[in-house]
C-alpha cells in the first residue's frame, strides 16, 4: 500500500539493522554458533536483557572493516529497494574500539558501505555518532570528541543512547557542547524506557533539534505542547515500542495523538530485524494501523528531510525527489 511512497529514515542503529541472512553467513565465516540467537531466519529473545544479549552476539560476527562495509551496504541496498532516498545510521566508534577493530577502521568500513550503496541506487546516508550512557559521562565525552575531530563529512550528528535509566541528561551536557560546537546535529534517546520527565530533561539540559522516540511525552500534555511549540522532531519507531512493550498495542500507541497535537513526528525502524520489523513495515503500519493517508505520510517524510542532519544543498535535492 505504501510501496509507491518515497521513504526516509532518521533513527536506525547500524548493528541493530543486521539482516539475519547476512549474520548467518558471517557466523559461518567465523565459526560462531549463533543457533541460540538466530532461528528460522529471525532473531530470538524474550525480554530486554535477552534482547541485549542477542544484540551483542549478533554484533560479534561483524569484525573487520570489510564486514562493516558489507553490513552498511546490505542494509542501505535493502532501504533503496523500498524507495528510500535518505538514511541516517546511528554508529558507535566506541564499539569499534571495544571489538579491537579501532574507531577509524570501523567508521571507514561504514563509509565505504555508504559509497557502494550510493553508487548503485543514489541513496544518501549520513552517520550519527552515539555515546552510550551506561558507560558514563567520560565515555560519552570521548565519543563527542571523536565525532568533532573526525572531520568526516558523512558524520553529521551526535546522539545519546544506551540505558536510559542511568544518570540524567544534565550529566552529559559537556559532550553535547562539544558536538554542538563542531556543528553536529543533536538528538537524544528519551521518553522510551523512562517517562515524560526524561524528555523534559533533554529539553531543559540540551534542547536537541530531535528526540529519539520521545513518545512517552504523551504522559504530560504540557510537555506535548512544549514540543509542538519548540518544533522538536520526534523519531518515532512504533514497531520497536510495541516489541519492547513501551505500549501494550498499536491502538494505545500515541503517534496519531502526538501528530494531532502539532508535534513534528517522523517514522523509523530502530533495530528492525530484532523487532521483526522493517522501514517498509513501519510505513505500512502508519497507513493500515494508524490510518494515515498518503498525503499525511508524505508530510512526515518531508518533516524527516527538513530535520535531517545534512547540508542545505543535499536537503533541497532530497525535497525535490519527494
Ligand atoms: Zn534507538
Amino acid at each position: 500500500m505504501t510501496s509507491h511512497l518515497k521513504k526516509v529514515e532518521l533513527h536506525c542503529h547500524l548493528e541493530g539493522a543486521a539482516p539475519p541472512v547476512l549474520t548467518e553467513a558471517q557466523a559461518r565465516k567465523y565459526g560462531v554458533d549463533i543457533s541460540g540467537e538466530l532461528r528460522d531466519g529471525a532473531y530470538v529473545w524474550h525480554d530486554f536483557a535477552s534482547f541485549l544479549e542477542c544484540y551483542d552476539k549478533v554484533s560479534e560476527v561483524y569484525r573487520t572493516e570489510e564486514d562493516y562495509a558489507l553490513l552498511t551496504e546490505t542494509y542501505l541496498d535493502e532501504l533503496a529497494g523500498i524507495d528510500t532516498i535518505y538514511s541516517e545510521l546511528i554508529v558507535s566508534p566506541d564499539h569499534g574500539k571495544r571489538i579491537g577493530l579501532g574507531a577509524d577502521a570501523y567508521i571507514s568500513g561504514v563509509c565505504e558501505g555508504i559509497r557502494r550503496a550510493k553508487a548503485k541506487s543514489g541513496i544518501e546516508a549520513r552517520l550519527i555518532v552515539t555515546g552510550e550512557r551506561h558507560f558514563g559521562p567520560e565515555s560519552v565525552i570521548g565519543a563527542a570528541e571523536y565525532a568533532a575531530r573526525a572531520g568526516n563529512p558523512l558524520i553529521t550528528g551526535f546522539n545519546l543512547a544506551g540505558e536510559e535509566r542511568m544518570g540524567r541528561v544534565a550529566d552529559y551536557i559537556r559532550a553535547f557542547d562539544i558536538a554542538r560546537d563542531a556543528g553536529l546535529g543533536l538528538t537524544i534517546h528519551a521518553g522510551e524506557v523512562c517517562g515524560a520527565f526524561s524528555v523534559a530533561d533533554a529539553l531543559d539540559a540540551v534542547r536537541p533539534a530531535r528526540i529519539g522516540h520521545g513518545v512517552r511525552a504523551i504522559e504530560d500534555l504540557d510537555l506535548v505542547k512544549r514540543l509542538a511549540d519548540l518544533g522538536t522532531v520526534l523519531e518515532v519507531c512504533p514497531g520497536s515500542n510495541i516489541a519492547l512493550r513501551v505500549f501494550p498495542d498499536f491502538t494505545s500507541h500515541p503517534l496519531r495523538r502526538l501528530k494531532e497535537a502539532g508535534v513534528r513526528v517522523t517514522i523509523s525502524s530502530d533495530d528492525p530485524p530484532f523487532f521483526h520489523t522493517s522501514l517498509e513495515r513501519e510505513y505500512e503500519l502508519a497507513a493500515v494501523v494508524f490510518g494515515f493517508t498518503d498525503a499525511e505520510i508524505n508530510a512526515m517524510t518531508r518533516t524527516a528531510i527538513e530535520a535531517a542532519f545534512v547540508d542545505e544543498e543535499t536537503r533541497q535535492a532530497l525535497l525535490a525527489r519527494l
Side-chain angles (χ1 to χ4, degrees), residues 11-13 90 159 161 189 192 212-213 235 237 240 270-271:
H11 188 127
C12 181
H13 301 261
I90 302 169
N159 201 333
H189 279 68
E192 178 195 16
H213 300 289
E235 306 154 3
C237 312
S240 159
D270 206 9
D271 303 292

Side-chain angles (χ1 to χ4, degrees), residues 226-246:
R226 189 177 171 199
L227 286 168
D229 290 347
L230 285 171
T232 310
V233 169
L234 301 189
E235 306 154 3
V236 183
C237 312
S240 159
N241 294 157
I242 301 308
L244 289 176
R245 301 194 181 90
V246 176

Side-chain angles (χ1 to χ4, degrees), residues 45-93:
W45 55 274
H46 55 273
D47 59 14
F48 196 68
S50 67
F51 158 64
L52 292 179
E53 278 167 33
C54 179
Y55 193 99
D56 285 344
K57 187 81 181 182
V58 168
S59 300
E60 219 181 274
V61 304
Y62 296 91
R63 299 180 178 181
T64 66
E65 196 170 326
E66 175 53 30
D67 290 346
Y68 276 92
L70 185 61
L71 168 56
T72 307
E73 179 187 6
T74 307
Y75 183 61
L76 292 178
D77 284 352
E78 178 189 318
L79 286 187
I82 57 158
D83 255 341
T84 306
I85 56 174
Y86 180 73
S87 146
E88 282 179 15
L89 296 168
I90 302 169
V91 293
S92 167

Side-chain angles (χ1 to χ4, degrees), residues 99-123:
I99 62 173
L101 171 60
D104 289 344
Y106 167 87
I107 292 292
S108 137
V110 173
C111 289
E112 172 60 20
I114 291 177
R115 276 187 289 273
R116 288 183 200 164
K118 185 176 175 179
K120 280 180 278 184
S121 63
I123 186 168

